């Protein structure tokens, strides 16, 4: 797992799953600030996502990220680049997060397959984490006691399944 | 894996399944574990198809049904929400009701 920055930028696909998780505030212990782009915020209308994000914006744990023309241009370049590659297309909200990650060094939080594989397939120098990497990091820092139990809790609460390869990685970590 | 000639014989031009097309495209790239990407996308698609509540999905209005089917095939929640005419979090609620797991 690559090294994360102390600041992150979250996309909608990550937030809508993560906010269903009862231990969602773990995120605040891993990052000094989580940036939420305006294009992501526009996709949040319902509780618990909109309530949690609004509360964390109010507390200063989250910060509103306003896209600049430079970031928008980079996002559109990444979208075009992803269309020619053998992976899921990267759409605008995720592309904005990748562009912000590239420009400012933020860790990108996403559950979009195109964005997750972008560093390897598009050769981007950016760290991209899913809920899996976030929970593993929380466990490595001692914030979570039982890694396997926590991953199972996340699966149940967010109706989110981790792939076989992720489970094998988790089991290797807990055995070592 | 079969070689390219055998693959082309099995699937005339334009007839190869999507995964195989992806695989063939993937081979054009060096230095990255593209097989892993293709395998991950296929595993995720299989899990979404298997776990979905198809009875619930089939009873939905056409727009929502089409959006969920798109999501099951691609895992792309943003485009699926646009097809449904919903925001991403509204579509995510529909996904949960239809018991379609999110897999990345």
């Amino acid at each position: 797992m690559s090294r994360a920055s102390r600041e992150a930028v979250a996309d909608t696909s990550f937030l809508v799953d993560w906010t269903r998780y009862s231990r969602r505030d773990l995120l605040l212990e891993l990052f000094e600030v989580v940036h939420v782009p305006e294009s992501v915020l526009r996709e949040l209308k319902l509780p618990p996502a909109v309530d949690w994000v609004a509360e964390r914006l109010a507390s200063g744990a989250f910060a509103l990220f306003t896209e600049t023309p430079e970031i928008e241009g980079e996002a559109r370049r990444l979208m075009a680049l992803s269309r020619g590659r053998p992976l899921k297309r990267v759409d605008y909200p995720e592309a904005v997060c990748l562009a912000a990650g590239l420009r400012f060094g933020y860790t990108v939080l996403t559950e979009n397959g195109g964005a997750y594989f972008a560093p390897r397939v598009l050769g981007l120098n950016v760290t991209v984490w899913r809920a899996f990497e976030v929970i593993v990091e929380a466990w490595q820092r001692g914030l979570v006691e039982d890694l396997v139990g926590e991953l199972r809790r996340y699966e149940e609460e967010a109706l989110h399944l981790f792939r076989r390869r992720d489970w094998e990685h988790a089991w290797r970590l807990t055995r070592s | 894996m079969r070689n390219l000639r055998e693959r082309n014989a099995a699937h005339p031009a334009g007839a190869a399944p999507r995964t195989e097309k992806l695989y063939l495209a993937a081979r054009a790239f060096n230095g990255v574990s593209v097989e892993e990407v293709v395998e991950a996308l296929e595993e995720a698609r299989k899990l979404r198809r298997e776990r979905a509540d198809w009875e619930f999905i089939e009873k939905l209005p056409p727009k929502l049904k089409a959006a969920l089917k798109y999501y099951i095939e691609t895992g792309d929640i943003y485009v699926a929400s646009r097809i449904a005419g919903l925001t991403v979090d509204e579509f995510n609620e529909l996904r949960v009701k239809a018991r379609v797991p999110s897999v990345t």
Side-chain angles (χ1 to χ4, degrees):
Chain A
M1 203 159 72
S2 50
R3 193 175 168 78
S5 152
R6 295 292 295 150
E7 296 188 36
V9 58
D11 82 359
T12 329
S13 62
F14 178 85
L15 287 173
V16 294
D17 276 5
W18 186 262
T19 52
R20 300 180 71 87
Y21 174 44
S22 54
R23 298 197 63 191
R24 53 189 172 262
D25 280 343
L26 273 176
L27 199 61
L28 315 181
E29 298 185 55
L30 297 178
F31 296 101
E32 282 170 8
V33 65
V34 176
H35 300 271
V36 181
E38 289 195 20
S39 55
V40 168
L41 206 52
R42 279 197 291 274
E43 297 301 321
L44 305 178
K45 270 190 181 173
L46 301 175
V50 74
D51 289 345
W52 187 63
V53 171
E55 285 163 17
R56 298 304 167 251
L57 282 167
S59 72
F62 284 9
L64 184 65
F65 181 89
T66 302
E67 292 93 330
T68 60
E70 180 204 355
I71 290 290
E72 285 175 356
E74 179 65 5
R76 295 202 182 281
R77 189 185 71 82
L78 293 173
M79 287 165 68
L81 201 59
S82 79
R83 280 197 288 272
R85 296 296 194 272
L87 81 167
K88 275 198 290 196
R89 194 181 46 240
V90 179
D91 292 308
Y92 186 74
E94 297 89 34
V96 164
C97 293
L98 286 173
L102 279 168
R103 174 71 179 81
F104 301 108
Y106 302 154
T107 297
V108 175
L109 304 173
T110 186
E111 292 294 347
N112 175 275
Y116 176 64
F117 287 111
R120 275 176 283 178
V121 177
L122 302 181
L124 306 179
N125 184 23
V126 59
T127 299
V128 180
W129 282 6
R130 305 161 297 165
F132 180 82
E133 284 78 18
V134 174
I135 293 170
V136 168
E137 179 70 12
W139 174 74
Q140 285 174 330
R141 291 203 205 170
L143 302 169
V144 161
E145 222 168 274
D146 171 13
L147 176 61
V148 169
E150 206 58 38
L151 292 169
R152 288 209 173 108
R153 185 209 303 260
Y154 190 83
E155 284 197 324
E156 281 170 29
E157 293 181 348
L159 190 64
H160 179 111
L161 296 180
F162 297 112
R163 286 184 289 112
R164 181 180 48 83
R165 218 181 166 92
D166 295 327
W167 278 113
E168 285 169 358
H169 182 62
W171 290 323
R172 267 199 308 276
L173 285 173
T174 52
R175 279 199 299 265
S176 60
Chain B
M1 293 304 293
R2 289 175 294 167
N3 65 32
L4 192 57
R5 186 177 296 176
E6 287 171 323
R7 281 174 167 273
N8 286 343
H11 300 289
R18 181 176 158 74
T19 309
E20 295 211 353
K21 281 183 183 170
L22 280 174
Y23 188 83
L24 291 173
R27 293 176 66 182
F29 296 91
N30 294 318
V32 289
S33 175
V34 180
E35 284 90 349
E36 184 200 329
V37 177
V38 175
E39 186 191 303
L41 297 179
E42 197 50 54
E43 183 187 352
R45 182 180 300 121
K46 188 168 178 274
L47 285 168
R48 288 190 297 268
R49 282 178 185 157
E50 286 174 357
R51 304 292 182 98
D53 180 348
W54 287 100
E55 208 178 308
F56 173 85
I57 294 169
E58 291 300 334
K59 286 179 190 159
L60 290 170
K63 212 172 159 75
L64 301 183
K65 184 160 64 177
L68 272 170
K69 285 182 174 174
Y70 175 87
Y71 178 76
I72 289 166
E73 288 306 302
T74 65
D76 185 344
I77 198 168
Y78 181 72
V79 175
S81 72
R82 297 298 93 123
I83 294 169
L86 301 171
T87 59
V88 172
D89 68 347
E90 288 169 336
F91 181 82
N92 199 48
E93 291 301 309
L94 179 68
R95 170 190 78 79
V96 171
K97 283 181 191 157
R99 307 300 303 162
V100 182
S102 155
V103 192
T104 312

